[in-house]
Amino acid sequence: MHAHVSEPPIGGTIDHILSVLPSLIPSAQRVARICAERPQEVVDMSGADLAEAAGTSAATVSRTSQALGFRGFQHMRMLLIRDLGAAAQDEEARPQGTEGWLRTLADGAAGLLRSSLASVDPGAFDAAADAIARAPRVLVVGTGGSHPAAQAVAVNFIMNGRSCEAPSDGVVQQLTASVLGPGDVCLVVSSSGANSVTLASAAAAADGGATVIGVTGFARAPIAEHADLLLVGGARFQAWDRGTLGSGLVQLLLLTALQIAVAERMTDAAEHARAAVRDEVLGIVAEEMPAESAEPEGEPDVAIDVRDGTAER
């Protein structure tokens, strides 16, 4: 028996299919991949047509649909029809050349973000925010393409009153994870959920009794074996031609949401930290100006506004 998913939001059906696809058996993966990559064709297919295209049986198509969390193939097909119809309504004539390409890229990113958090379990999200807010120690790990997002959320945690550790080196991440204990949190960021270096840190933290929170794009990735809580962001970025853009945007959105939720649970610490950071930044950018030499007679005074560097007479 496969638990039915809550119906994906408009535009989110393909994201959901991709998030589950890696966990399916090969024949089911072929079915799911066709649905994700060729939805315009699938909506005109019967179950038998899709089975033929995937080189499998109609029974496998039905089982795949249920493994993906849908009631059956027709349910999945209707959701694809819904999403394609909504996309067609949003489509508008675009200029040719670079201007049109840039607009297409921006629209694609906006569409990806609209549906990217639909697969996040609200209960797991709240539990993750609670655990991070109360943890004695928080370790943030992420390597490869997920490293920038992991480092970015660590900075945001610190600037909002949640101290944390975020070593850049994978070996140091694993060593730090190995000394975590019960009550501590290891926040593991991995788009694929299968990066061996990142998984080693997750396993070390889990062995020590720390709470492991996984942030990934796939619902049944290997990271799930070590994670107490799993936050799954949309996997549409696995269209590799735009993968770097999509992966980074989805990770940053999900991690920023988590950081904001943690700050809301640490109101006093967050307000104190933000005030301290603000004062520190002002001190950095508003360095003392050197003493001005005597100005030529007849020249008007010039005042420098240190807030934005503009000159006022």
Side-chain angles (χ1 to χ4, degrees), residues 91-275:
E91 190 70 23
E92 61 183 47
R94 294 187 174 93
Q96 298 297 312
T98 299
E99 182 182 357
W101 177 79
L102 289 173
R103 188 181 299 180
T104 298
L105 187 63
D107 289 348
L112 181 148
L113 290 178
R114 277 195 297 270
S115 60
S116 62
L117 302 189
S119 53
V120 176
D121 181 339
F125 181 90
D126 288 340
D130 290 340
I132 294 172
R134 65 173 179 259
R137 294 180 68 182
V138 173
L139 171 66
V140 182
V141 303
T143 56
S146 298
H147 180 256
Q151 292 293 304
V153 75
V155 171
N156 286 337
F157 276 139
I158 292 169
M159 292 194 300
N160 285 274
R162 172 62 267 185
S163 61
C164 68
E165 303 165 73
S168 296
D169 183 78
V171 173
V172 178
Q173 290 178 9
Q174 184 177 349
L175 294 175
T176 306
S178 70
V179 298
L180 297 178
D184 296 332
V185 167
C186 183
L187 178 61
V188 182
V189 185
S190 175
S191 295
S192 67
N195 183 302
S196 59
V197 176
T198 304
L199 289 176
S201 294
D207 288 344
T211 298
V212 178
I213 301 170
V215 176
T216 184
F218 297 100
R220 301 170 191 167
I223 185 62
E225 299 176 9
H226 306 292
D228 299 285
L229 299 166
L230 197 64
L231 307 181
V232 182
R236 182 75 65 92
F237 59 82
Q238 295 303 332
W240 296 111
D241 57 336
R242 299 178 184 177
T244 302
L245 170 68
S247 175
L249 288 176
V250 171
Q251 284 183 332
L252 284 173
L253 179 62
L254 178 50
L255 289 169
T256 298
L258 182 61
Q259 176 268 306
I260 292 172
V262 171
E264 290 177 347
R265 288 161 168 77
M266 303 177 64
T267 305
D268 293 342
E271 290 179 354
H272 175 77
R274 284 194 287 264

Side-chain angles (χ1 to χ4, degrees), residues 39 42-44 74 76-86:
V42 172
V43 296
D44 292 325
Q74 291 304 323
M76 177 174 63
R77 177 175 169 274
M78 292 305 297
L79 291 175
L80 290 173
I81 291 173
R82 178 202 65 178
D83 289 0
L84 290 174

